[in-house]
Amino acid sequence: MKKVFVVFLFTFCVHSSFSQTEKIAFNLDSNRNFWQKFTYDLGNMAGGMGYAYTRPLHWQKKQFANFGYVAVGTAALYTVDDHIDNWAKGWSGDVPRWLVDYGNDIGSPNNNYMITGAVYLTGLFIDDPKLRRTGVLLISSASAAGLLQQVSKRIIGRARPRIDVGKGKFDPFHIDRVFNYDSFPSGHVMLGFTNAYAIAKQFDNPWIKAGLYTVGSIPGLSRIIDRFHWVSDVLFSTAISIFIVEAIDKFLDTKYAEKYNSVKKQKKVVWDLQVTPRTFGISMNF
């Protein structure tokens, strides 16, 4: 995974905005040969990462408010992390192991890049602009999310549930990764949900979107069941995945003539947390 990030990092230096309406002039000429398209896409993958990382520098009131909601939601779940971990241990044996294994496998970096790379290369070789752009979005979003979580978990150093030292145990500021103190945020969740959210953007049908979001949520469930992550890790990682995909997709709108989201509807996404002694759930209404 680190090797993949190095390929993208040495070229990225894009300075843009997350949700503002700044206009950037780029050459959208589609008359490129195979090699030109490939190198152009590599540049956009790196540029998309830079665009996402610089978004907070341009946030306005609305964006800070949205991030505040995520922070409050994460803090609220932090107060019940131990309870949900204990509750999950009680029924983890009832969850089919194949489902848990799927969540762990699909969120791993190697499997993630096999899938996203296959999508991109298919679009490139069959000369399908929409599929090619989707591959660029998938790879750049996963790379931005993956690098962010690798750096963040070393800085934060939160203990994983499985070592049984409690939700509030931290060993921060390590350059080298300290295993079992790398819980926050979750790389599996960010990679898994990033893919699902990026693919869902191509569809208008809310049921298809909901299905993709559900599949994309399986890694988070798996990581909670296997006690690799707290539920607050999962919520925060999911929200960051959405922010990153939205940012990079806006960037790619300025780089490609193919825009599968050219007609955007104003949609309000509402997260609803439901916690009772016997049930726990997070629902997203759109």
Side-chain angles (χ1 to χ4, degrees):
M1 186 173 183
K2 293 180 179 178
K3 294 181 180 178
V4 177
F5 289 145
V6 171
V7 174
F8 293 113
L9 279 178
F10 83 99
T11 54
F12 106 75
C13 67
V14 172
H15 199 69
S16 300
S17 143
F18 180 84
S19 65
Q20 283 66 45
T21 58
E22 301 172 46
K23 300 298 182 181
I24 309 172
F26 291 107
N27 178 18
L28 300 178
D29 179 21
S30 61
N31 296 322
R32 299 183 175 92
N33 61 34
F34 181 89
W35 178 251
Q36 288 173 330
K37 289 179 180 178
F38 177 68
T39 56
Y40 181 74
D41 292 340
L42 286 182
N44 289 336
M45 292 175 193
M49 293 176 63
Y51 187 91
Y53 290 151
T54 58
R55 293 309 340 120
L57 300 177
H58 304 275
W59 281 357
Q60 296 181 354
K61 183 178 180 180
K62 180 180 179 181
Q63 289 72 52
F64 280 112
N66 288 337
F67 187 79
Y69 297 146
V70 172
V72 170
T74 302
L77 286 177
Y78 175 84
T79 64
V80 295
D81 269 338
D82 282 329
H83 300 292
I84 294 175
D85 178 54
N86 292 330
W87 172 72
K89 284 190 293 184
W91 55 265
S92 60
D94 299 328
V95 179
R97 192 63 217 176
W98 64 265
L99 185 64
V100 178
D101 290 340
Y102 166 80
N104 287 323
D105 292 340
I106 201 65
S108 68
N110 291 339
N111 292 332
N112 176 81
Y113 280 106
M114 287 178 60
I115 295 172
T116 57
V119 171
Y120 169 70
L121 290 176
T122 300
L124 181 65
F125 278 101
I126 68 175
D127 198 20
D128 186 321
K130 181 176 180 179
L131 192 60
R132 182 174 140 231
R133 175 193 158 134
T134 301
V136 173
L137 176 62
L138 287 168
I139 293 174
S140 56
S141 297
S143 300
L147 179 60
L148 178 64
Q149 62 87 21
Q150 284 291 323
V151 174
S152 299
K153 65 174 47 180
R154 286 166 169 76
I155 295 174
I156 297 172
R158 189 182 190 188
R160 294 186 184 273
R162 63 188 312 163
I163 62 175
D164 295 316
V165 295
K167 64 184 181 184
K169 184 67 174 178
F170 294 84
D171 186 12
F173 304 111
H174 288 275
I175 297 178
D176 295 328
R177 182 176 179 181
V178 179
F179 287 96
N180 288 325
Y181 281 87
D182 50 0
S183 181
F184 185 90
S186 169
H188 281 71
V189 172
M190 293 178 79
L191 292 180
F193 199 81
T194 290
N195 288 348
Y197 192 79
I199 294 173
K201 289 181 71 64
Q202 299 185 79
F203 299 95
D204 293 326
N205 190 310
W207 294 106
I208 296 178
K209 287 181 177 289
L212 289 167
Y213 295 155
T214 299
V215 173
S217 299
I218 294 176
L221 177 64
S222 298
R223 304 304 277 178
I224 291 174
I225 290 174
D226 279 350
R227 304 190 68 211
F228 281 102
H229 291 286
W230 308 94
V231 68
S232 58
D233 301 338
V234 171
L235 173 67
F236 184 84
S237 301
T238 300
I240 294 301
S241 298
I242 295 173
F243 291 162
I244 288 174
V245 173
E246 288 289 348
I248 294 177
D249 191 41
K250 290 179 187 298
F251 171 77
L252 296 182
D253 276 345
T254 68
K255 304 290 281 184
Y256 292 91
E258 180 68 33
K259 298 177 175 61
Y260 50 76
N261 60 350
S262 57
V263 180
K264 298 180 182 294
K265 298 179 181 179
Q266 294 296 326
K267 295 183 179 180
K268 183 178 181 180
V269 178
V270 179
W271 291 88
D272 182 28
L273 173 65
Q274 300 173 349
V275 180
T276 70
R278 294 181 177 274
T279 62
F280 168 77
I282 301 176
S283 62
M284 184 172 68
N285 301 312
F286 51 90

